[in-house]
Amino acid sequence: SSHHAYADPDALRTAFTLAMSSMYKSEVPLYGDLIHIVNAVNASTRTADLDPRVLAMRHGNVASSRLDIERHGAIRLGTPYELRTVSRIFAVIGLYPVGYYDLAAAGLPMHATCFRPRSTASLKKNPFRVFTSLLRPELIRDEKARSLALNLLSKRNIFTAELITLLDIADKQNGRLTIDQGTRFVIQAMETFRWHGTAASSHEDYQLLKREHQILADIACFRSAHINHLTPRTLDISAAQQKMKSQGLKVKDRIEGPPARNCPILLRQTSFLAIEEPVQFFTAQGSQSKFVSGSHKARFGEIEERGAAVTLAGRQLYDELLNKAMAAAESSSQKCTPEELDRQVEVAFQKYPDDWKTLRARKLVYFTYSVANRHFPEIYDDSSFTLEHLILQGIVDITPITYEDFLPLSAAGIFRSNLGTQASSASVNALSNEAGMEEALGAKLSSSDELYKAMEVESIRKCETELGIKII
Ligand code: OOG
Ligand code: NI
């Protein structure tokens, strides 16, 4: 019954991404330095030498896509209510929960999902996504720390009243906001993810939680779910890593993920290490409450280089080879140095095919199909054709699908390098709990594999329409 012009969720996502980016740059100036480094590396990468398919995946698939817009961020939430409300925020900007990430295996009392666009069209407009982890209080061994964390979390409210009002309005408008409401929404949403230099806990409570697990203090002692990093894409992650080092940034000791390849798969990531930031805590000591100065280390800057989405078989091979490399590095006579692990990864991944044809023949990577040549005599008789035939005849082209998700082992490596801790005893041997995540969220998690398969099918249907034939 209204004639309001609703804002396009993809456009709102871009406004949100840009607001988040400028907020983070002003909060963490070192992040601004990282952006300069990435821009310089991207500008000097010899893109003409790159396989256009590889460039497309690194760049983001579309000519119109801005190279300088971030590709992901991460937040850590404390309660199911926070997760459900954040999922309402993300739905307004076209992000939906996809996939389950078990972090307990890495010694973290948490699990996670990725809020991201699901459709090809939406991904093309802006693939920005948020790695969103949730505390699993049942994995906190120490009774006192657990109840303290839950008590602090029960008292905090990370959402402004106006934001909740706008979310309720969106519910009544089919999930949409008008352009004016959308503008207010982005401003209000930033309050949820902003840094606060004044903690919501006493210094004593902060230290108690930190002793149990540093991540607990980060999740429970603050007034917001501060964004803990943003991640621009880079066209050459090795060069960017080198440049970060040469400019004096403290960087992660190795690039996570698969080794450099002709046909990149999945995701390679590295970061500068979390900075120590001043924080004011109140202290309960004495009769008068007063403030004490302390500090907190949680926030960093990351870069990523994306490759192809792999099938379940492709993922199995990836996990197998990575595990083999880690085992070999552990048992090598030298100490397990980052260099030794890099070397073992190189060796192990020689078993992972590295040309698109073989990757497709062995069903290790997902592809989309597009019409390369519609003026082919054969296609005018009205029979059906196999995909293989059309590819061989040069009528249909194959393009690897860009990986849009995360890697739990890489994520664990990133957590670890920023916490400066090894796996804690707090959560060893814990089982993953995907059902628990869905219950907290109040919704099902989409399967990334189903989404990649749907993209493949959609592209084949499109070829059929364009060629006017049936592909079997
Ligand atoms: C999230 C770390 C995971 C990634 O890129 O794998 C992540 C966190 O530190 O909260 O962002
Ligand atoms: Ni990240």
Side-chain angles (χ1 to χ4, degrees):
S1 68
S2 76
H3 299 275
H4 298 300
Y6 289 124
D8 169 16
D10 297 323
L12 270 186
R13 177 166 67 261
T14 294
F16 180 97
T17 312
L18 292 172
M20 191 83 117
S21 175
S22 76
M23 180 173 85
Y24 201 56
K25 271 181 225 153
S26 71
E27 289 178 350
V28 180
L30 195 58
Y31 178 68
D33 297 351
L34 175 65
I35 294 287
H36 284 127
I37 290 172
V38 168
N39 287 346
V41 168
N42 287 347
S44 64
T45 302
R46 295 175 53 95
T47 51
D49 298 346
L50 275 175
D51 173 352
R53 294 191 270 216
V54 172
L55 182 60
M57 289 189 290
R58 290 196 185 157
H59 193 291
N61 273 338
V62 264
S64 67
S65 156
R66 301 177 47 161
L67 195 56
D68 60 343
I69 201 167
E70 279 80 353
R71 295 208 85 186
H72 84 257
I75 53 171
R76 302 160 184 164
L77 302 174
T79 67
Y81 167 74
E82 289 178 358
L83 179 66
R84 273 195 291 268
T85 310
V86 159
S87 82
R88 293 175 70 196
I89 297 176
F90 288 158
V92 170
I93 60 171
L95 301 179
Y96 302 94
V98 177
Y100 177 76
Y101 299 87
D102 174 24
L103 296 169
L108 294 154
M110 312 161 81
H111 49 189
T113 187
C114 163
F115 282 89
R116 70 157 170 96
R118 287 182 301 203
S119 73
T120 307
S122 186
L123 283 163
K124 276 195 174 180
K125 285 193 199 142
N126 175 1
F128 181 75
R129 68 216 89 183
V130 185
F131 188 89
T132 304
S133 49
L134 176 69
L135 179 66
R136 293 176 68 187
E138 73 277 15
L139 300 189
I140 305 169
R141 286 252 178 89
D142 185 69
E143 172 86 30
K144 203 169 162 203
R146 188 190 327 124
S147 63
L148 173 58
L150 288 175
N151 185 42
L152 285 166
L153 288 167
S154 75
K155 284 195 282 202
R156 80 172 182 180
N157 173 18
I158 61 174
F159 310 105
T160 68
E162 187 178 355
L163 180 69
I164 299 294
T165 303
L166 287 162
L167 290 174
D168 291 341
I169 290 171
D171 284 347
K172 294 195 191 94
Q173 294 174 169
N174 246 325
R176 297 300 180 98
L177 291 176
T178 64
I179 288 166
D180 172 55
Q181 289 161 352
T183 306
R184 281 159 53 210
F185 168 84
V186 169
I187 293 167
Q188 293 302 317
M190 286 309 116
E191 295 308 308
T192 296
F193 306 114
R194 180 184 302 289
W195 172 254
H196 290 266
T198 308
S201 79
S202 70
H203 200 229
E204 294 78 9
D205 287 350
Y206 172 85
Q207 281 171 321
L208 192 154
L209 291 185
K210 192 171 164 181
R211 272 195 301 276
E212 178 63 14
H213 202 303
Q214 192 175 330
I215 209 81
L216 259 189
D218 187 55
I219 297 171
C221 295
F222 293 86
R223 296 165 198 285
S224 68
H226 45 242
I227 179 91
N228 68 55
H229 68 281
L230 285 177
T231 309
R233 71 194 86 174
T234 168
L235 299 180
D236 186 342
I237 198 164
S238 307
Q241 170 93 333
Q242 274 314 315
K243 200 165 169 99
M244 281 201 279
K245 280 186 187 160
S246 71
Q247 302 232 332
L249 274 70
K250 289 205 179 79
V251 298
K252 235 186 124 306
D253 55 18
R254 60 181 297 273
I255 295 170
E256 297 285 344
R261 293 161 47 86
N262 293 325
C263 298
I265 51 165
L266 299 165
L267 174 65
R268 306 184 75 211
Q269 303 160 270
T270 187
S271 71
F272 70 71
L273 301 183
I275 53 168
E276 193 93 41
E277 295 176 271
V279 177
Q280 291 287 107
F281 296 89
F282 66 83
T283 175
Q285 239 129 60
S287 54
Q288 274 167 319
S289 79
K290 55 175 188 190
F291 283 93
V292 290
S293 298
S295 66
H296 181 62
K297 208 167 114 180
R299 306 200 305 156
F300 58 99
E302 187 190 34
I303 51 177
E304 64 170 48
E305 190 190 89
R306 285 189 182 257
V310 299
T311 62
L312 290 177
R315 179 52 184 271
Q316 209 164 31
L317 182 59
Y318 172 80
D319 287 340
E320 185 190 311
L321 298 180
L322 194 59
N323 284 328
K324 199 183 263 178
M326 289 193 298
E330 293 287 348
S331 68
S332 71
S333 52
Q334 311 157 47
K335 219 168 101 10
C336 179
T337 59
E339 294 75 24
E340 175 62 9
L341 184 50
D342 279 346
R343 209 181 64 78
Q344 293 294 350
V345 167
E346 285 284 345
V347 171
F349 275 78
Q350 280 164 12
K351 291 231 169 64
Y352 210 114
D354 200 12
D355 65 276
W356 297 124
K357 218 175 137 201
T358 311
L359 288 165
R360 185 170 170 275
R362 287 189 48 192
K363 294 188 169 30
L364 295 171
V365 161
Y366 287 113
F367 290 87
T368 52
Y369 301 88
S370 58
V371 175
N373 174 14
R374 68 184 73 222
H375 303 292
F376 197 78
E378 259 192 73
I379 64 173
Y380 293 110
D381 64 47
D382 59 354
S383 46
S384 37
F385 296 86
T386 66
L387 200 48
E388 298 317 311
H389 179 78
L390 294 168
I391 294 166
L392 273 175
Q393 297 299 314
I395 300 169
V396 162
D397 242 357
I398 63 168
T399 306
I401 298 179
T402 306
Y403 188 59
E404 302 291 351
D405 297 281
F406 292 94
L407 293 167
L409 270 182
S410 297
I414 289 162
F415 268 105
R416 249 198 316 278
S417 67
N418 285 300
L419 294 171
T421 52
Q422 289 307 308
S424 133
S425 65
S427 47
V428 281
N429 296 330
L431 293 174
S432 71
N433 185 9
E434 187 167 349
M437 181 61 145
E438 290 185 332
E439 195 186 316
L441 183 64
K444 288 267 171 221
L445 301 165
S446 300
S447 140
S448 59
D449 272 286
E450 294 305 320
L451 295 173
Y452 294 126
K453 274 186 216 151
M455 290 166 95
E456 193 170 284
V457 170
E458 179 191 296
S459 75
I460 296 171
R461 295 290 95 87
K462 214 168 146 222
C463 289
E464 288 185 321
T465 311
E466 283 177 36
L467 293 170
I469 58 164
K470 178 98 196 101
I471 298 175
I472 51 169

